[in-house]
Amino acid sequence: MSESKLERSTINLGHGSGGTMTRELLDEVIFKTFNNPYLNTKHDGAILEINSKIAVSTDSFVVNPIFFKGANIGELAVHGTVNDVAMCGAIPQYLSLAFIVEEGLSMDDFIKIVRSIKLAANDSGVQVITGDTKVVERGKGDKIFINTTGIGKVHPKANISMDRVKVGDKIIVSGPIAQHGMAIMTQREGLEFESDIISDSTNLNYLVKDLLDGFGEQIHLLRDPTRGGVSGVLTEIAMDTNKEVHIYEKDIPLEKQVAAACEILGLDPLYVANEGLFIAIVDPEIEQHVVTLLRKSDKGRQARCIGEVSSKESPKVVLHSLIGGKRIVSPLIGEQLPRIC
Amino acid sequence: MSESKLERSTINLGHGSGGTMTRELLDEVIFKTFNNPYLNTKHDGAILEINSKIAVSTDSFVVNPIFFKGANIGELAVHGTVNDVAMCGAIPQYLSLAFIVEEGLSMDDFIKIVRSIKLAANDSGVQVITGDTKVVERGKGDKIFINTTGIGKVHPKANISMDRVKVGDKIIVSGPIAQHGMAIMTQREGLEFESDIISDSTNLNYLVKDLLDGFGEQIHLLRDPTRGGVSGVLTEIAMDTNKEVHIYEKDIPLEKQVAAACEILGLDPLYVANEGLFIAIVDPEIEQHVVTLLRKSDKGRQARCIGEVSSKESPKVVLHSLIGGKRIVSPLIGEQLPRIC
């Protein structure tokens, strides 16, 4: 079947059978799109030659809706894993790609997602080297779930880990917060026509490479505040280091529209997911240099220092509010925004 | 919350939030179970030192039911990926592990699956180095889906690929066929009390290592006939080499009970999935030695040569039947047995 014929069909259980229909889908859509020597062997796996320290990270993506302002589940599945590899201080190089598709998904949507993955992978400098496609019956999934596992070479100057976080370290965010989560939420709540909030889904690996090239070991920790938001990452740092983390509301970059949407929906932007943002915990000496470097890039143009790790031995995040008060940012307990990524 | 309290609860959306409930689930169930230095960093990814050729393979597991005779979805998720890595001629070493759980799964079942994964991983000599847990709303998944991505070092003597398959090569199966698929099907059809068919789900990496240690480059191709069964693998070989593949029904190992269940359910065992079986395409010189070596192991005790690659240029699989006839084994087109793995 030619791709043009496939385009007018839908995914059905036969596409996950391992038989002729699976082969056709792979040949016409997957192999044609990704076309690289790793995939073209059509083996059960890919062979790589590696001589270095590598970072490996895996993530499944179950976002609902699968198409949203600024990206779709395919791009998200690339960016999310590329960024997780980058947060380990590594240069992402390879991705595995596994689909769980619900019977009835339109082939057009599937192809659109596959093409977005290809573009996002190219853009991020990674190759899709191996994959899998499963199909589940209608009502046993939700359109499409995607798993990606990323592999990348650790940057020679990187030395990133929680135990390198020190008293006095500065907390830098690379841009405005809560964009991705609010893009999804406004769409789900039917508010998308009143807002232009766009997901920040993007790759951060080049920005991270620049940081590591420039500052090496003085970058102590990198984290992307996806599920659980900025508060999730900072709470983790406070708990794992047993130090109070102080942040300043006036310094936290937040778009007006996003703040307004959070207010309408009763959400605290500190808990809302981001997909193109990272937090760097850095030596206080380099704070200004890091901010300056990040701002040279479009993705980091609103980078700010938002606080520091205090000497107080207490696993808490303290927010200094706009009006001069202080409040504890309590950890998120249950679910605020299901299936945001 | 202690593990004993968790045991009486169910998975809910909060466990996928990235907040306190997620952390609790990870701490009490995942990190306690797998407890290794890679996971214990609790970073977004794992750091490995690799200096070799590696094989990488990914698979999602959506089998229904999640518990079945002989194994459960957790063990299957380990064996499936470990075997795919082994089929590349590699020694599996590392696994990533990603869950998509449907809200409402009992915590007991989740813990049981996690523990099975740990045991199967130990048994296979692999470590779970990084992971992810997502939760979807009731009715948007089906209990639990698992993705694993495996990494392993390529065996120094391995040279496995489709283009090494030659005219005259012998086709060896490591054991009786159709066990896994029929274990699942008899259970789904309510026939399980009348039969003792047990899934063959197991790791094949040690057996493959023995083969490669012993015969190196004379092993031309390895494939595990999971989805699509033995016919799927042989059809692929016939098509990719453009050679007729001949197999002999009398030589194909098939348990009586499995044959009977196939007959009752109208299924051809050649199309039924296996999860602890492989097909080796080998130099004809070593046919008997390979069979002898495999039979020394419990997992290979019924190994047989079932056919050969003929010189006829035609992409077909020809079965020589018990009664002396010949028939073409046509490729599976659509879905015969959905969600068998």
Side-chain angles (χ1 to χ4, degrees):
Chain A
M1 200 186 276
S2 69
E3 190 181 289
S4 62
K5 267 193 199 162
L6 275 176
E7 272 175 3
R8 285 186 291 277
S9 63
T10 59
I11 297 272
N12 67 48
L13 290 170
H15 290 113
S17 64
T20 307
M21 289 181 68
T22 304
R23 193 170 165 124
E24 197 173 271
L25 184 73
L26 292 179
D27 284 345
E28 291 301 321
V29 182
I30 305 289
F31 295 135
K32 265 195 191 159
T33 304
F34 294 107
N35 184 31
N36 68 45
Y38 302 105
L39 269 185
N40 294 351
T41 64
K42 297 183 189 176
H43 208 304
D44 283 335
I47 306 290
L48 307 173
E49 178 79 48
I50 292 192
N51 289 296
S52 68
K53 219 189 250 187
I54 60 170
V56 182
S57 185
T58 194
D59 241 328
S60 296
F61 296 84
V62 298
V63 66
N64 169 32
I66 58 174
F67 294 98
F68 47 88
K69 274 194 186 162
N72 66 44
I73 190 170
E75 290 156 284
L76 194 67
V78 174
H79 297 149
T81 293
V82 157
N83 292 346
D84 280 348
V85 171
M87 295 306 124
C88 297
I91 317 290
Q93 296 169 285
Y94 306 107
L95 275 190
S96 69
L97 173 63
F99 297 107
I100 299 174
V101 185
E102 184 192 16
E103 179 188 18
L105 180 74
S106 85
M107 192 62 80
D108 281 9
D109 282 352
F110 183 70
I111 292 172
K112 202 184 287 178
I113 289 166
V114 170
R115 289 189 182 149
S116 297
I117 291 172
K118 169 66 174 168
L119 291 176
N122 282 359
D123 227 45
S124 309
V126 295
Q127 282 188 289
V128 171
I129 55 164
T130 190
D132 179 50
T133 305
K134 293 288 192 305
V135 182
V136 296
E137 308 92 322
R138 215 177 278 261
K140 300 296 185 184
D142 196 10
K143 295 188 183 78
I144 186 166
F145 301 145
I146 304 179
N147 177 281
T148 48
T149 301
I151 298 179
K153 195 176 169 164
V154 174
H155 192 290
K157 290 182 169 182
N159 187 0
I160 307 269
S161 87
M162 189 62 85
D163 58 23
R164 299 206 58 242
V165 176
K166 300 282 178 285
V167 168
D169 275 2
K170 295 296 182 181
I171 300 164
I172 290 165
V173 296
S174 64
I177 72 169
Q179 305 270 129
H180 173 72
M182 294 319 295
I184 301 287
M185 287 309 290
T186 50
Q187 194 163 332
R188 276 201 216 152
E189 300 291 327
L191 302 174
E192 77 268 31
F193 297 110
E194 292 158 56
S195 93
D196 290 320
I197 303 175
I198 288 174
S199 166
D200 62 348
S201 180
T202 193
N203 57 60
L204 298 165
N205 47 324
Y206 302 112
L207 214 48
V208 165
K209 184 179 178 298
D210 288 347
L211 270 191
L212 292 169
D213 284 347
F215 306 106
E217 296 218 345
Q218 288 180 294
I219 309 293
H220 295 162
L221 190 71
L222 295 168
R223 279 280 200 277
D224 56 338
T226 55
R227 275 188 295 180
V230 170
S231 93
V233 168
L234 297 181
T235 302
E236 209 184 322
I237 294 171
M239 286 171 68
D240 286 350
T241 60
N242 195 36
K243 293 280 183 294
E244 246 180 50
V245 165
H246 287 249
I247 54 172
Y248 303 89
E249 194 175 6
K250 68 173 175 43
D251 296 325
I252 300 172
L254 178 65
E255 301 279 2
K256 260 192 192 154
Q257 272 209 326
V258 174
C262 282
E263 201 141 323
I264 292 171
L265 297 173
L267 297 168
D268 182 337
L270 285 174
Y271 295 91
V272 176
N274 310 276
E275 292 290 346
L277 189 77
F278 67 92
I279 292 178
I281 311 294
V282 308
D283 191 299
E285 270 183 24
I286 59 167
E287 171 200 336
Q288 264 317 309
H289 304 295
V290 168
V291 170
T292 306
L293 185 149
L294 291 177
R295 286 190 180 172
K296 282 184 189 157
S297 152
D298 190 50
K299 292 176 188 179
R301 69 185 187 284
Q302 293 188 62
R304 295 281 298 253
C305 175
I306 64 164
E308 68 274 325
V309 179
S310 85
S311 59
K312 216 165 165 188
E313 301 233 332
S314 152
K316 274 182 205 148
V317 179
V318 178
L319 176 80
H320 297 255
S321 73
L322 283 174
I323 53 167
K326 277 197 231 178
R327 72 172 172 88
I328 306 293
V329 180
S330 53
L332 181 65
I333 297 188
E335 184 54 288
Q336 193 191 29
L337 305 169
R339 296 180 58 196
I340 213 74
C341 62
Chain B
M1 200 186 275
S2 68
E3 190 182 292
S4 62
K5 266 192 201 162
L6 275 177
E7 273 177 2
R8 285 187 292 276
S9 63
T10 58
I11 297 272
N12 67 48
L13 290 169
H15 290 113
S17 64
T20 307
M21 288 181 69
T22 304
R23 192 167 167 126
E24 197 172 271
L25 184 73
L26 292 179
D27 284 345
E28 291 300 322
V29 182
I30 305 289
F31 295 137
K32 264 195 192 161
T33 304
F34 293 107
N35 184 31
N36 69 45
Y38 303 104
L39 268 186
N40 294 350
T41 64
K42 296 182 190 177
H43 208 304
D44 284 334
I47 306 289
L48 307 173
E49 178 80 46
I50 291 192
N51 289 294
S52 67
K53 220 189 248 186
I54 59 170
V56 182
S57 185
T58 194
D59 241 328
S60 297
F61 297 84
V62 299
V63 65
N64 170 34
I66 58 174
F67 295 97
F68 47 88
K69 273 194 186 162
N72 65 45
I73 190 171
E75 290 156 283
L76 194 67
V78 174
H79 297 150
T81 293
V82 157
N83 293 347
D84 280 349
V85 170
M87 295 306 123
C88 297
I91 317 289
Q93 297 169 285
Y94 306 107
L95 275 190
S96 69
L97 174 62
F99 297 107
I100 299 175
V101 186
E102 184 192 15
E103 180 187 20
L105 180 74
S106 86
M107 192 61 79
D108 280 10
D109 282 351
F110 183 69
I111 291 172
K112 202 184 288 179
I113 289 165
V114 170
R115 288 189 183 150
S116 298
I117 291 172
K118 169 65 175 168
L119 291 176
N122 282 359
D123 228 44
S124 310
V126 295
Q127 283 188 290
V128 172
I129 55 165
T130 190
D132 179 50
T133 305
K134 293 288 192 305
V135 182
V136 297
E137 308 92 322
R138 214 178 279 260
K140 300 295 185 185
D142 196 10
K143 297 188 183 77
I144 187 166
F145 301 146
I146 303 179
N147 177 281
T148 48
T149 301
I151 298 179
K153 195 175 169 163
V154 174
H155 191 289
K157 290 182 171 181
N159 187 0
I160 307 271
S161 87
M162 189 62 85
D163 57 24
R164 299 207 58 240
V165 176
K166 301 282 176 288
V167 168
D169 277 2
K170 294 296 181 181
I171 300 164
I172 291 164
V173 296
S174 64
I177 73 168
Q179 305 268 129
H180 173 73
M182 294 320 295
I184 300 287
M185 287 309 289
T186 50
Q187 193 163 334
R188 277 199 214 152
E189 301 291 327
L191 302 174
E192 76 268 33
F193 297 111
E194 292 157 57
S195 94
D196 289 321
I197 303 175
I198 289 175
S199 167
D200 62 347
S201 180
T202 194
N203 56 61
L204 298 166
N205 48 324
Y206 301 112
L207 214 48
V208 166
K209 183 178 177 299
D210 288 347
L211 271 191
L212 292 170
D213 283 348
F215 306 105
E217 297 216 345
Q218 287 179 294
I219 308 294
H220 296 163
L221 189 71
L222 296 167
R223 280 280 200 276
D224 56 339
T226 55
R227 275 187 296 180
V230 170
S231 93
V233 167
L234 297 181
T235 303
E236 209 184 322
I237 294 171
M239 287 171 69
D240 287 352
T241 60
N242 196 35
K243 294 279 182 295
E244 247 180 49
V245 166
H246 287 249
I247 54 174
Y248 303 88
E249 194 175 6
K250 68 173 175 44
D251 295 325
I252 300 172
L254 176 65
E255 302 278 3
K256 260 191 192 155
Q257 272 210 326
V258 174
C262 282
E263 201 142 324
I264 292 171
L265 297 173
L267 297 168
D268 182 338
L270 284 174
Y271 295 91
V272 176
N274 309 278
E275 292 290 347
L277 188 77
F278 66 92
I279 292 177
I281 311 295
V282 308
D283 191 299
E285 270 184 24
I286 59 165
E287 171 201 335
Q288 264 317 308
H289 305 296
V290 167
V291 170
T292 305
L293 187 148
L294 291 177
R295 286 190 181 174
K296 283 186 190 156
S297 151
D298 190 51
K299 292 176 189 180
R301 71 185 184 284
Q302 294 188 63
R304 295 284 296 255
C305 174
I306 64 165
E308 68 273 325
V309 179
S310 83
S311 59
K312 214 163 167 189
E313 301 232 332
S314 153
K316 275 182 206 148
V317 179
V318 179
L319 176 80
H320 297 254
S321 72
L322 283 175
I323 52 166
K326 277 198 230 178
R327 72 172 172 89
I328 306 293
V329 180
S330 54
L332 181 65
I333 299 189
E335 182 55 286
Q336 192 191 30
L337 305 169
R339 296 181 58 196
I340 213 74
C341 62

